[in-house]
C-alpha cells in the first residue's frame, strides 16, 4: 500500500502517467476535479476557488481569511483520501501535506519547454506564442501557489523521491518506473507506519476544522499536531482566554489525548481586513 503524489509542469504528461499508473497498480486515481469538488463539499465557496486553486493568490486574496480556510479544506481533502492508501494524487501540494508519511512516494514530471510547446500547439491548435504564454502562466501560478501556501519551491528535485523527464520517457515507461520504485521501496513496516501517520494527520486536521468552522474560535494560522498521547495546538491569538478556550474545546473533541496549547499571544493581532 503506497500513497503516490504527482507534481507536474503543464504539458509534461503528469496526468496521463498518473492515470496509467493507477490503472497498472489498481489504485484510486484522485484527479484535479475530485479534489476541487471535495473542497467545495467540505464548505469552501465554489465561486472563490478560482482565486486559490493551484494558482498564486493575488496580493489582497493572500491576506484574507478565505486563504487559510481554503488551505484547511484542501488539507482535509488530501488527508481523507490518503488515509485509505493505494491512491495516486495529482497536484495541489499533496507531496508537502504528506511529506512525513513513511509510505509516500512523491514524483515530479518535467520536460523541456520546446517539447511542452509542441504538445500544447498540437492539442489546442495554438501557435507558438500562445503555447509559450500558457507555459509561462502555468509555471508562475504553480510556483506562486506552492510558495504562498507551503513556502516551498516545486522545482527543487530534493522535494521528491523521483523526477522524470517525459520528453525522454513515454507514458508507459514512466508508469513502469514508478511502479518498480513502489515495489522496491514500500515495505510492510512502512505501510503500517504510514497508515498510522496519515490517521494522526487527519484527526489533527479535523480538530482544527471543528475549532475554526464549528466553534468559531478566533485563532489565526491554527494547526494541531498529534505526538503520541499528546495533542499540541499552535497558532496566534490576541488573548489568553481564546487560547484556553481552544484547548478546552480540543479536550472535549479528543478526550483520549493530553492537550497542550502552544498558541502565541499577540495583542491586537489582525491579519485580515
Amino acid at each position: 500500500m503506497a500513497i503516490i503524489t504527482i507534481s507536474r509542469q503543464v504539458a509534461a504528461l503528469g496526468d496521463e502517467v498518473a492515470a496509467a499508473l493507477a490503472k497498472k497498480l489498481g489504485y484510486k486515481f484522485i484527479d484535479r476535479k475530485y479534489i476541487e469538488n471535495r473542497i467545495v463539499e467540505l464548505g469552501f465557496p465554489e465561486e472563490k476557488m478560482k482565486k486559490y486553486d493551484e494558482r498564486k493568490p493575488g496580493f489582497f486574496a493572500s491576506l484574507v481569511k478565505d486563504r487559510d480556510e481554503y488551505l484547511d479544506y484542501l488539507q482535509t481533502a488530501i488527508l481523507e483520501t490518503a488515509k485509505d492508501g493505494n491512491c495516486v494524487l495529482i497536484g495541489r501540494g499533496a507531496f508537502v501535506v504528506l511529506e512525513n508519511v513513511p509510505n509516500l512516494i512523491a514524483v515530479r514530471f518535467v520536460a523541456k519547454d520546446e517539447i511542452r510547446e509542441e504538445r500544447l500547439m498540437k492539442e489546442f491548435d495554438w501557435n507558438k506564442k500562445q503555447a509559450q504564454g500558457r507555459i509561462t502562466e502555468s509555471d508562475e501560478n504553480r510556483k506562486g501557489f506552492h510558495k504562498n501556501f507551503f513556502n516551498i519551491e516545486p522545482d527543487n528535485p530534493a522535494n521528491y523521491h523521483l523526477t522524470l523527464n517525459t520528453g525522454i520517457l513515454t507514458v508507459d515507461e514512466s508508469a513502469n518506473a514508478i511502479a518498480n520504485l513502489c515495489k522496491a521501496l514500500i515495505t510492510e513496516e512502512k505501510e503500517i507506519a504510514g497508515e498510522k501517520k496519515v490517521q494522526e494527520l487527519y484527526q489533527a486536521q479535523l480538530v482544527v476544522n471543528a475549532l475554526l468552522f464549528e466553534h468559531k474560535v478566533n485563532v489565526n494560522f491554527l494547526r494541531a499536531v498529534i505526538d503520541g498521547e499528546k495533542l499540541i495546538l499552535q497558532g496566534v491569538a490576541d488573548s489568553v482566554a481564546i487560547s484556553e478556550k481552544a484547548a478546552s474545546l480540543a479536550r472535549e473533541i479528543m478526550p483520549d489525548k493530553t492537550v497542550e496549547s502552544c498558541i502565541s499571544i499577540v495583542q491586537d493581532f489582525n491579519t485580515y481586513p
Side-chain angles (χ1 to χ4, degrees):
M1 181 183 78
I3 301 166
I4 303 170
T5 60
I6 303 297
S7 174
R8 76 283 192 221
Q9 295 178 320
V10 67
L13 304 183
D15 295 71
E16 291 85 347
V17 177
L21 176 64
K23 183 177 180 180
K24 182 180 183 65
L25 297 176
Y27 280 16
K28 291 177 296 182
F29 176 38
I30 310 301
D31 63 8
R32 175 187 179 92
K33 197 65 179 176
Y34 178 91
I35 294 294
E36 178 181 312
N37 289 341
R38 189 66 189 123
I39 291 170
V40 173
E41 289 171 357
L42 287 166
F44 193 76
E46 185 173 6
E47 64 272 14
K48 295 180 180 179
M49 285 288 289
K50 63 182 181 180
K51 294 182 180 179
Y52 302 100
D53 201 39
E54 218 165 40
R55 67 179 59 248
K56 178 183 178 181
F59 176 75
F60 290 107
S62 69
L63 297 178
V64 301
K65 200 165 187 175
D66 289 343
R67 178 249 183 220
D68 293 335
E69 290 183 2
Y70 169 82
L71 180 58
D72 284 320
Y73 287 130
L74 170 64
Q75 292 177 153
T76 304
I78 290 171
L79 291 168
E80 71 176 10
T81 299
K83 68 183 176 64
D84 295 326
N86 292 358
C87 59
V88 181
L89 294 105
I90 289 277
R92 290 181 176 80
F95 70 96
V96 189
V97 176
L98 301 167
E99 64 178 336
N100 294 318
V101 174
N103 61 330
L104 170 72
I105 291 181
V107 184
R108 171 82 168 163
F109 292 102
V110 300
K112 288 184 177 180
D113 284 356
E114 53 264 36
I115 292 175
R116 296 196 288 155
E117 289 168 9
E118 289 175 5
R119 288 171 178 167
L120 290 172
M121 290 165 67
K122 181 177 180 181
E123 180 177 358
F124 297 104
D125 194 25
W126 284 348
N127 59 39
K128 188 177 182 67
K129 185 177 180 180
Q130 288 173 307
Q132 289 174 334
R134 174 61 179 137
I135 287 172
T136 298
E137 178 188 36
S138 177
D139 288 354
E140 289 180 354
N141 266 330
R142 291 179 183 182
K143 287 179 182 179
F145 173 86
H146 287 84
K147 186 67 175 177
N148 186 273
F149 286 104
F150 304 110
N151 195 29
I152 198 168
E153 291 290 341
D155 291 339
N156 185 351
N159 293 322
Y160 311 97
H161 295 79
L162 184 66
T163 297
L164 296 174
N165 184 343
T166 59
I168 300 172
L169 300 171
T170 66
V171 168
D172 287 342
E173 289 169 343
S174 299
N176 287 336
I178 301 167
N180 289 335
L181 180 61
C182 286
K183 184 177 180 180
L185 192 62
I186 304 302
T187 64
E188 183 178 355
E189 290 76 15
K190 286 183 178 179
E191 290 178 3
I192 295 171
E195 183 177 0
K196 180 176 183 291
K197 182 63 177 178
V198 175
Q199 286 288 351
E200 289 178 346
L201 292 170
Y202 181 58
Q203 292 301 319
Q205 185 63 53
L206 291 182
V207 172
V208 170
N209 293 356
L211 293 177
L212 293 177
F213 306 136
E214 294 176 26
H215 298 286
K216 310 297 182 183
V217 177
N218 190 22
V219 178
N220 294 289
F221 316 120
L222 181 61
R223 184 169 179 258
V225 178
I226 293 177
D227 183 8
E229 299 305 311
K230 185 182 295 185
L231 174 71
I232 303 167
L233 298 178
Q234 302 168 344
V236 180
D238 63 6
S239 74
V240 173
I242 292 176
S243 173
E244 292 177 347
K245 180 181 179 181
S248 177
L249 289 168
R251 293 185 187 99
E252 295 178 11
I253 297 167
M254 299 197 75
D256 59 326
K257 300 292 183 185
T258 300
V259 177
E260 177 182 337
S261 177
C262 294
I263 296 172
S264 300
I265 308 302
V266 179
Q267 296 294 330
D268 300 321
F269 181 85
N270 185 14
T271 303
Y272 312 115

